[in-house]
Every structure is written in C-alpha cells, then in structure tokens.
Amino acid sequence: MSLKGFHLVFVTLLTALAFLCATWAFTAGHAIFGVAGVASGVLVIVYGVYFLKKLKNVDFL
Amino acid sequence: MEIPYTTQVRPDTGLYNAKLGIWLFLASEVMLFGGLFSAYVLLRVGSPEGFWPHGWLSVTLGTVNTLILALSAITTLLAWVACKVNDFRQFKLFHGLTLVLALSFLCIKSYEYHDKWIHYEIHLKDGRIADGHLEEQDEKTVTISGRIIPGDQEQLLYDLRAQKSIPRDEIKLDRSNILKMENYGPRHNTFTAIYFTMTGLHALHILGGCVVIGFLWGPGSRMWKTDHARFTNRIEISGLFWHFVDLVWIFLFPVLYLT
C-alpha cells in the first residue's frame, strides 16, 4: 500500500473518531464539544472527498 | 556496488525494498501496541468496581493534540507530493511544518506529564487524604493546592466526571502528620502505569519520527539533487511511519481520555 492508500485509511478512521467524540460529548453533556465533533467529522469527510477527486486527476500518485 | 531495488520495484514482492521493510516493521509495531491495548482492556475489566479513574486527563489538551497529528498527516503527504512534482521549496515548507507540529505535540504531552508529576495524593495519619498540586515543600511542611477528603470517601478521587468544580484551596500540611505521599506518576496505580507506558511509548515514536523527519528536512535533503527518485521514496517511507504513529493516537485518545 502506498502513502496515498494509507492516507485514505487514516482519513476514514479520523472521521470515525470525530463522530465517536461527538457521541461521547453529547452523552456526557458537553454540547459544544459535541457540535465541534460533528463539524470536524463533516470537515474530514469533505476533505476526504476532495482528496479522492484530486487523485483522479493526478496520475503520479 | 549499487544497492538493488531502492527505486525500482522488485518483481517478486511488487515493492521497492524500503517499502517492504517499513511494512514489516509496522506489522511488528501493530503487535507491540496491540499487546499494550490488550493489557489495558484486561487491567480495566479486572479493576474493582468504582476504582478505575475517570476524568483524570484533559480532554481539551488531548483534542488539541489529535488535531495537531491530523494536520501533520496532511503536511507529510503534501511533502511527498512536492517531491513528486519536483518542488523543493514546497517540500521544505511542508516537511518543516510536519516537524513543527510533531514538536508541538511533544510540548503538550510534556505539559500533561508535568501536571501529573506534581499532583500528589497524601495520606494523613488521622485517616484523611489530601489531594492536589504541590506548591512548595520544605523540611517541615508541604503545601498543596487541592482538597482534603475523609479516608472512607477515597472513591471521590477516582471518578472526577460528576464533580463539575473541584475545590482548590491552599493547604499547608505538617510533615509529621503525613503517613504516605505519592505523586500521580507511573507507580501510583494501574491506570497511571498503563497511561504512562502507552503514551510514553507513543511519544518515543513521535520523537523518533522527529529525528527522521528532521534529518530528511536538513542534511538528508542533499539527496534531492543526487538521487531524486530514491529521496522521494524515503519521504514516502517516513510518511508511512508517521501515518502509523498518527493512527495509534487515534486509538489512544478515545481509550484513555474519553472513557
């Protein structure tokens, strides 16, 4: 697996972590932290999609 | 004599040698950290009811460190891309940023360690327990910033989640009244032992990564001109290692800070 592939694995797990943190925060009563977690999760997904799209046009990676 | 397969793919493995080497190394690392995570699970399920610490670590600092490592994963990837497109200045920028982020992570971790190191649990001869940060001490007295709880309410020290605001008073204790005094270092209890072991080992990996990244950013970057393809592969290898270290933290953070 190249660094490109490993980066995608990393982004996937980072997304899972963000939503896990959000779940933990809402359960523990930290609403602001929860909202930040959801926002981070969405942001990482957007980055992941952008990264995947970019890869389609970049053949050297 | 030229070393074979430093840039070309070896036909039988489908990889260049360094990549095969790093994946074998990372496989052994998975076993190392996997063993420690298993130890954590077993220690935790085996601890007596109500005596596993909760809320001892700063979620804010842990989150900041998570963001730092996430950003560093992106910068290390961009450094590799810069090598691929032959842009030396961009490579220097992104690899340098990775190094700065790694050192920032270590600074925050050091602060967290220091916070635990100066936090003391002091058992008094009258049965009460004083708990807090050491302010100053001399031959006769010890001053802490914290609280004193009755000896039969020791569980209050373990679960801090429900205690929104823990009172912090300046308490001066006479050494003659102290039965036992111990900081929140690795030997304090099972939690601190596994916490320092796992995060310490992870921090050593970060430190090792800093050395490698620092070398490739500085003196090692001379290879950019002499053997560019091989240098690009070196950056990929360091990036793979760095991503692995980041992945370990993605598991460490929720396990230690959120549970």
Side-chain angles (χ1 to χ4, degrees), chain B residues 42-94:
Chain B
L42 291 173
L43 289 170
R44 181 161 177 177
V45 298
S47 77
E49 185 76 26
F51 283 92
W52 187 261
H54 296 284
W56 279 24
L57 304 173
S58 166
V59 176
T60 308
L61 290 179
T63 306
V64 171
N65 261 350
T66 307
L67 291 174
I68 285 174
L69 286 189
L71 273 177
S72 74
I74 296 171
T75 54
T76 197
L77 180 88
L78 290 173
W80 181 54
V81 172
C83 289
K84 288 278 191 183
V85 298
N86 222 344
D87 189 335
F88 189 65
R89 284 181 67 184
Q90 289 278 300
F91 159 73
K92 279 279 189 180
L93 171 71
F94 288 122

XYZ file of all heavy atoms in Angstrom, chain B residues 42-94:
418
model
N -7.637 -5.736 29.715
C -7.666 -6.724 30.797
C -7.531 -6.059 32.167
O -8.203 -6.430 33.126
C -6.550 -7.764 30.601
C -6.763 -8.709 29.408
C -5.548 -9.581 29.196
C -7.996 -9.582 29.620
N -6.647 -5.062 32.262
C -6.475 -4.357 33.537
C -7.755 -3.620 33.922
O -8.145 -3.586 35.085
C -5.319 -3.358 33.444
C -3.911 -3.966 33.380
C -2.885 -2.899 33.037
C -3.567 -4.645 34.700
N -8.382 -3.043 32.918
C -9.581 -2.252 33.207
C -10.749 -3.129 33.641
O -11.440 -2.805 34.610
C -9.959 -1.435 31.979
C -11.164 -0.609 32.263
C -11.358 0.520 31.327
N -12.604 1.174 31.693
C -13.071 2.236 31.117
N -12.402 2.776 30.149
N -14.207 2.769 31.494
N -10.997 -4.209 32.916
C -12.140 -5.067 33.300
C -11.857 -5.792 34.617
O -12.771 -6.223 35.304
C -12.518 -6.093 32.197
C -12.960 -5.394 30.938
C -11.385 -7.062 31.907
N -10.565 -5.892 34.974
C -10.213 -6.586 36.216
C -10.150 -5.671 37.427
O -9.944 -6.141 38.548
N -10.336 -4.368 37.215
C -10.220 -3.449 38.364
C -11.499 -3.491 39.208
O -12.589 -3.701 38.683
C -9.957 -2.030 37.879
O -11.132 -1.461 37.391
N -11.362 -3.280 40.516
C -12.554 -3.299 41.379
C -13.542 -2.205 40.989
O -13.143 -1.156 40.493
C -11.987 -3.011 42.775
C -10.529 -3.251 42.681
C -10.140 -3.012 41.265
N -14.820 -2.469 41.211
C -15.886 -1.522 40.874
C -15.641 -0.159 41.526
O -15.404 -0.080 42.727
C -17.227 -2.112 41.350
C -18.448 -1.305 40.983
C -18.842 -1.463 39.527
O -18.526 -2.504 38.938
O -19.466 -0.520 38.992
N -15.660 0.881 40.712
C -15.514 2.235 41.246
C -14.090 2.696 41.459
O -13.856 3.797 41.938
N -13.133 1.865 41.117
C -11.740 2.243 41.354
C -10.932 2.397 40.066
O -9.714 2.290 40.089
C -11.048 1.256 42.305
C -11.440 1.481 43.739
C -12.508 0.801 44.290
C -10.761 2.395 44.526
C -12.892 1.017 45.608
C -11.131 2.625 45.842
C -12.205 1.935 46.380
N -11.633 2.573 38.934
C -10.908 2.887 37.696
C -11.072 4.393 37.450
O -12.191 4.892 37.411
C -11.437 2.094 36.504
C -10.566 2.301 35.295
C -10.808 3.154 34.263
C -9.318 1.672 35.010
N -9.768 3.091 33.350
C -8.838 2.193 33.787
C -8.536 0.716 35.682
C -7.637 1.789 33.219
C -7.333 0.316 35.115
C -6.898 0.848 33.890
N -9.969 5.123 37.301
C -10.081 6.579 37.172
C -10.851 7.037 35.936
O -10.709 6.463 34.856
C -8.619 7.028 37.068
C -7.837 5.923 37.662
C -8.572 4.674 37.320
N -11.671 8.053 36.135
C -12.388 8.703 35.032
C -12.187 10.209 35.157
O -12.261 10.740 36.260
C -13.881 8.392 35.087
C -14.204 6.945 34.908
N -14.163 6.327 33.684
C -14.555 5.993 35.808
C -14.488 5.046 33.838
N -14.725 4.815 35.116
N -11.965 10.852 34.034
C -11.828 12.311 34.036
C -10.503 12.811 34.585
O -10.406 13.967 34.993
N -9.490 11.968 34.599
C -8.180 12.390 35.120
C -7.372 13.165 34.085
O -6.424 13.848 34.437
C -7.365 11.167 35.563
C -7.730 10.652 36.913
C -8.926 10.819 37.550
C -6.907 9.901 37.802
N -8.890 10.204 38.767
C -7.670 9.622 38.948
C -5.603 9.407 37.735
C -7.178 8.896 40.027
C -5.107 8.674 38.802
C -5.882 8.425 39.943
N -7.726 12.988 32.816
C -6.926 13.620 31.762
C -7.707 14.757 31.111
O -8.940 14.725 31.058
C -6.544 12.577 30.704
C -5.801 11.343 31.228
C -5.641 10.315 30.123
C -4.445 11.716 31.798
N -6.994 15.743 30.613
C -7.636 16.899 29.989
C -8.072 16.553 28.561
O -7.229 16.342 27.678
C -6.663 18.081 29.970
O -7.145 19.082 29.105
N -9.386 16.489 28.356
C -9.918 16.187 27.023
C -9.542 17.305 26.041
O -9.252 17.045 24.873
C -11.456 15.998 27.077
C -12.032 15.782 25.689
C -11.808 14.811 27.960
N -9.510 18.543 26.542
C -9.158 19.673 25.680
C -7.747 19.509 25.110
O -7.535 19.628 23.903
C -9.256 20.993 26.477
O -10.530 21.037 27.102
C -9.077 22.197 25.573
N -6.791 19.209 25.998
C -5.406 19.044 25.524
C -5.283 17.835 24.594
O -4.573 17.879 23.588
C -4.452 18.897 26.712
C -4.224 20.157 27.557
C -3.287 19.873 28.718
C -3.665 21.279 26.698
N -6.000 16.763 24.935
C -5.983 15.570 24.075
C -6.548 15.873 22.697
O -6.024 15.407 21.679
N -7.610 16.685 22.663
C -8.224 17.055 21.378
C -7.267 17.909 20.548
O -7.124 17.699 19.336
C -9.536 17.832 21.626
O -10.375 17.046 22.471
C -10.260 18.118 20.326
N -6.625 18.867 21.217
C -5.655 19.716 20.509
C -4.553 18.850 19.908
O -4.168 19.012 18.737
C -5.063 20.787 21.461
C -3.910 21.528 20.802
C -6.140 21.772 21.882
N -4.062 17.898 20.689
C -3.013 17.007 20.176
C -3.502 16.149 19.008
O -2.745 15.857 18.079
C -2.480 16.113 21.305
C -1.193 16.663 21.881
O -0.612 17.587 21.324
N -0.730 16.096 22.973
N -4.781 15.750 19.062
C -5.349 14.970 17.950
C -5.374 15.811 16.674
O -5.006 15.337 15.596
C -6.781 14.508 18.302
O -6.744 13.832 19.558
C -7.342 13.577 17.245
N -5.800 17.073 16.828
C -5.843 17.973 15.663
C -4.436 18.201 15.106
O -4.230 18.227 13.887
C -6.469 19.315 16.053
C -7.971 19.283 16.373
C -8.435 20.629 16.894
C -8.772 18.880 15.140
N -3.467 18.342 16.005
C -2.080 18.559 15.574
C -1.591 17.373 14.744
O -1.014 17.541 13.661
C -1.168 18.788 16.809
C -1.391 20.199 17.369
C 0.296 18.581 16.461
C -0.662 20.471 18.652
N -1.854 16.165 15.231
C -1.386 14.981 14.491
C -2.142 14.813 13.173
O -1.565 14.394 12.166
C -1.512 13.726 15.357
C -0.482 13.582 16.479
C -0.574 12.201 17.115
C 0.938 13.813 15.985
N -3.436 15.152 13.177
C -4.216 15.054 11.928
C -3.639 16.012 10.880
O -3.467 15.633 9.714
C -5.678 15.375 12.203
N -3.322 17.229 11.320
C -2.735 18.204 10.388
C -1.371 17.735 9.888
O -1.035 17.891 8.714
C -2.566 19.552 11.098
C -3.767 20.499 11.083
C -3.443 21.749 11.884
C -4.137 20.883 9.651
N -0.605 17.129 10.791
C 0.740 16.684 10.398
C 0.678 15.544 9.378
O 1.583 15.399 8.552
C 1.566 16.269 11.629
O 1.115 15.035 12.127
N -0.408 14.745 9.444
C -0.569 13.675 8.438
C -0.771 14.294 7.053
O -0.259 13.773 6.053
C -1.752 12.784 8.806
N -1.498 15.398 7.017
C -1.735 16.074 5.730
C -0.437 16.710 5.219
O -0.095 16.594 4.043
C -2.853 17.136 5.876
C -4.176 16.449 6.225
C -3.014 17.936 4.583
C -5.295 17.396 6.603
N 0.294 17.369 6.125
C 1.525 18.041 5.670
C 2.580 17.036 5.195
O 3.320 17.319 4.255
C 2.126 18.934 6.782
O 2.316 18.160 7.962
C 1.235 20.120 7.083
N 2.630 15.865 5.860
C 3.632 14.870 5.422
C 3.263 14.316 4.037
O 4.139 14.033 3.211
C 3.812 13.764 6.478
O 5.021 13.077 6.223
C 2.706 12.755 6.497
N 1.940 14.201 3.782
C 1.503 13.758 2.453
C 1.855 14.816 1.397
O 2.348 14.492 0.309
C -0.004 13.497 2.457
C -0.556 13.032 1.111
C -0.462 11.524 0.985
C -1.983 13.478 0.911
N 1.617 16.086 1.759
C 1.912 17.178 0.817
C 3.417 17.292 0.540
O 3.823 17.661 -0.558
C 1.366 18.507 1.360
C -0.166 18.625 1.368
C -0.609 19.897 2.067
C -0.722 18.564 -0.045
N 4.235 16.954 1.547
C 5.695 16.962 1.339
C 6.073 15.917 0.294
O 6.937 16.148 -0.569
C 6.408 16.686 2.656
N 5.410 14.771 0.358
C 5.672 13.697 -0.628
C 5.219 14.133 -2.014
O 5.909 13.910 -3.016
C 4.948 12.418 -0.178
C 5.139 11.240 -1.065
C 6.334 10.715 -1.472
C 4.115 10.423 -1.648
N 6.108 9.618 -2.267
C 4.759 9.419 -2.391
C 2.727 10.435 -1.590
C 4.054 8.442 -3.082
C 2.022 9.461 -2.278
C 2.685 8.478 -3.022
N 4.032 14.781 -2.069
C 3.531 15.285 -3.355
C 4.521 16.300 -3.940
O 4.802 16.288 -5.139
C 2.131 15.931 -3.176
C 1.677 16.627 -4.466
C 1.107 14.875 -2.779
N 5.070 17.165 -3.064
C 6.052 18.166 -3.516
C 7.281 17.489 -4.126
O 7.841 17.966 -5.112
C 6.461 19.068 -2.354
N 7.679 16.358 -3.553
C 8.800 15.591 -4.127
C 8.431 15.081 -5.510
O 9.228 15.126 -6.449
C 9.156 14.402 -3.238
S 9.945 14.853 -1.705
N 7.211 14.581 -5.615
C 6.755 14.008 -6.887
C 6.714 15.055 -8.003
O 6.993 14.753 -9.157
C 5.355 13.386 -6.710
C 5.354 12.090 -5.902
C 5.717 10.921 -6.770
C 5.475 9.599 -6.089
N 5.911 8.464 -6.922
N 6.299 16.292 -7.638
C 6.205 17.340 -8.668
C 7.485 18.168 -8.763
O 7.524 19.189 -9.441
C 4.985 18.275 -8.446
C 3.694 17.501 -8.539
C 5.088 19.001 -7.112
N 8.515 17.719 -8.014
C 9.844 18.347 -8.090
C 9.859 19.798 -7.618
O 10.484 20.651 -8.241
C 10.358 18.263 -9.538
C 11.833 17.892 -9.563
O 12.516 17.998 -8.536
N 12.324 17.473 -10.708
N 9.161 20.060 -6.527
C 9.112 21.425 -5.983
C 9.812 21.429 -4.620
O 9.205 21.096 -3.590
C 7.646 21.871 -5.851
C 7.525 23.348 -5.502
O 8.462 23.911 -4.918
O 6.474 23.934 -5.809
N 11.071 21.809 -4.625
C 11.901 21.727 -3.428
C 11.409 22.666 -2.318
O 11.404 22.293 -1.141
C 13.360 22.047 -3.777
C 14.316 21.782 -2.650
C 14.521 20.491 -2.176
C 15.015 22.815 -2.056
C 15.411 20.247 -1.137
C 15.909 22.581 -1.017
C 16.104 21.290 -0.548
N 10.996 23.874 -2.700
C 10.553 24.851 -1.691
C 9.299 24.364 -0.965
O 9.180 24.493 0.248
C 10.289 26.210 -2.352
C 11.582 26.942 -2.677
C 11.301 28.285 -3.298
N 10.671 29.192 -2.341
C 10.243 30.408 -2.651
N 10.368 30.859 -3.880
N 9.691 31.179 -1.742
N 8.370 23.802 -1.729
C 7.149 23.258 -1.116
C 7.480 22.074 -0.208
O 6.895 21.930 0.871
C 6.175 22.806 -2.213
C 5.545 23.937 -2.977
C 4.352 24.534 -2.239
O 3.391 23.847 -1.957
N 4.426 25.804 -1.907
N 8.423 21.266 -0.663
C 8.838 20.130 0.170
C 9.376 20.621 1.512
O 8.986 20.133 2.573
C 9.916 19.295 -0.547
C 10.716 18.451 0.411
C 10.156 17.322 0.995
C 12.006 18.819 0.775
C 10.876 16.571 1.919
C 12.729 18.072 1.687
C 12.164 16.953 2.259
N 10.261 21.622 1.438
C 10.853 22.171 2.668
C 9.771 22.725 3.587
O 9.804 22.531 4.802
C 11.856 23.279 2.308
C 13.223 22.762 1.878
C 14.052 22.416 3.101
C 15.488 22.112 2.722
N 16.318 21.775 3.868
N 8.814 23.416 2.993
C 7.738 24.032 3.770
C 6.909 22.965 4.488
O 6.742 23.014 5.713
C 6.846 24.877 2.851
C 5.561 25.407 3.497
C 5.889 26.494 4.519
C 4.609 25.974 2.444
N 6.420 21.988 3.725
C 5.503 21.010 4.316
C 6.219 20.046 5.268
O 5.672 19.674 6.301
C 4.754 20.246 3.216
C 3.729 21.091 2.515
C 3.785 21.293 1.151
C 2.723 21.711 3.236
C 2.839 22.094 0.515
C 1.774 22.514 2.608
C 1.844 22.703 1.243
